[in-house]
Amino acid sequence: MRPLAHSGTRAIPSIRHQITRIRGQFSNSSNSSTISSSMSLTRPLRLLLLGAPGSGKGTQTSRLLAKFPSIHALSSGDILRSQVALGTQLGKEASQYINNGGLVPDTTMVSLITDQLKQSQWLNNHTSWTLDGFPRTAQQAVALDEVLDKSGVGINLVVELDVDQKVILDRIEARWIHAASNRIYNLDYNPPKVPFKDDVTGEPLVKRKDDTAEVFQKRLDTYNDQLRGLKAFYKEKGVLHTVAGNTSDIIYPKLEELILEKFS
């Protein structure tokens, strides 16, 4: 069975397991003071995080959800998989492209996202949410923006996570996973208790085929090419900001401060 993919990008992995795992880590961490108490927003946040593969978007999303309970997370990859599994009309339409080895059109992806927002009752001017995995190109951003603006709920904050890409490549080389659960380890800053063994099951860890610097550099090159148009589009709309740092502990306080400054 082919992985789900859309608009020229590879399939988007679910961040739900990452959110659950990272939340648990934060709650048990001695450095959890930054998320020790939840905060509220005084106006709705509709956030898009931009960041290279391996930049830590999932980690930042998890920390935001822990700190700001009113923010909902929406993953385009999760939506696509769910609609295909449920056999909805849009899911069937997407399946036709996927099964034929094609790419799901931007218009279909926009419809999937906006339909999910409607079903979740988030397509309004008082609900906060963050979108993961889409848009990835300027063309996709324009298509999504046109639909959201009709409901008066356009994306009102876009934040680029500016991480040194050499640091990202080093992380990827040190990344190992437990295949059955998709638990992720990093030999440098999140190593398993027993070298190359899963902490829970004791089973061997494995390397993903694309977790090499050579393969991952190609993904970074694609991202860099797409990023220019995305940034230009959102800069023109006046919602683009950048936070820089090489670790999540450096980036997150800056991201939280930016959100509080603008939405609290």
Side-chain angles (χ1 to χ4, degrees), residues 20-256:
T20 300
R21 182 177 64 84
I22 295 169
R23 269 180 170 160
Q25 289 177 350
F26 290 155
S27 64
N28 294 324
S29 172
S30 60
N31 296 322
S32 63
S33 59
T34 58
I35 61 165
S36 59
S37 59
S38 62
M39 291 186 175
S40 60
L41 304 175
T42 56
R43 66 187 187 95
L45 166 69
R46 296 180 292 274
L47 172 67
L48 173 66
L49 290 181
L50 301 179
S55 63
K57 294 190 298 295
T59 299
Q60 300 304 323
T61 298
S62 301
R63 296 184 75 159
L64 285 176
L65 297 183
K67 190 71 171 184
F68 300 94
S70 63
I71 299 177
H72 304 279
L74 197 65
S75 164
S76 60
D78 286 349
I79 296 169
L80 182 54
R81 282 182 283 271
S82 173
Q83 294 300 304
V84 169
L86 291 172
T88 65
Q89 186 59 42
L90 284 171
K92 291 176 181 177
E93 181 181 331
S95 290
Q96 291 178 351
Y97 292 98
I98 295 165
N99 293 337
N100 291 325
L103 303 170
V104 180
D106 293 344
T107 52
T108 302
M109 287 305 305
V110 170
S111 295
L112 285 167
I113 290 169
T114 52
D115 278 9
Q116 186 63 49
L117 285 168
K118 290 176 183 176
Q119 291 174 22
S120 302
Q121 298 184 338
W122 298 344
L123 199 61
N124 53 59
N125 60 8
H126 59 264
T127 301
S128 295
W129 41 263
T130 178
L131 185 60
D132 173 69
F134 190 92
R136 291 192 171 193
T137 67
Q139 182 177 352
Q140 293 170 356
V142 171
L144 179 62
D145 191 66
E146 289 177 351
V147 175
L148 293 179
D149 275 356
K150 289 178 181 177
S151 299
V153 293
I155 292 172
N156 56 13
L157 182 64
V158 177
V159 181
E160 178 194 7
L161 307 182
D162 183 11
V163 180
D164 186 335
Q165 294 190 359
K166 183 182 182 304
V167 172
I168 292 176
L169 291 175
D170 289 342
R171 287 181 190 167
I172 295 306
E173 289 283 2
R175 185 163 72 182
W176 290 72
I177 69 165
H178 177 241
S181 67
N182 210 28
R183 277 186 288 275
I184 299 174
Y185 298 87
N186 186 287
L187 301 184
D188 294 331
Y189 62 84
N190 180 36
K193 296 174 183 177
V194 177
F196 304 105
K197 300 287 186 180
D198 177 50
D199 287 351
V200 177
T201 66
E203 295 171 346
L205 302 180
V206 298
K207 284 283 284 184
R208 290 173 176 152
K209 291 182 179 180
D210 59 351
D211 275 357
T212 66
E214 181 180 2
V215 173
F216 215 79
Q217 183 62 61
K218 295 178 181 178
R219 293 184 61 193
L220 291 176
D221 291 343
T222 298
Y223 168 78
N224 293 332
D225 289 341
Q226 296 173 339
L227 180 65
R228 284 186 284 271
L230 264 179
K231 288 177 66 174
F233 175 75
Y234 286 118
K235 182 177 181 180
E236 185 176 342
K237 292 184 70 68
V239 296
L240 177 66
H241 298 265
T242 299
V243 293
N246 289 337
T247 70
S248 61
D249 285 340
I250 293 174
I251 287 179
Y252 179 76
K254 299 178 182 179
L255 177 60
E256 182 182 296

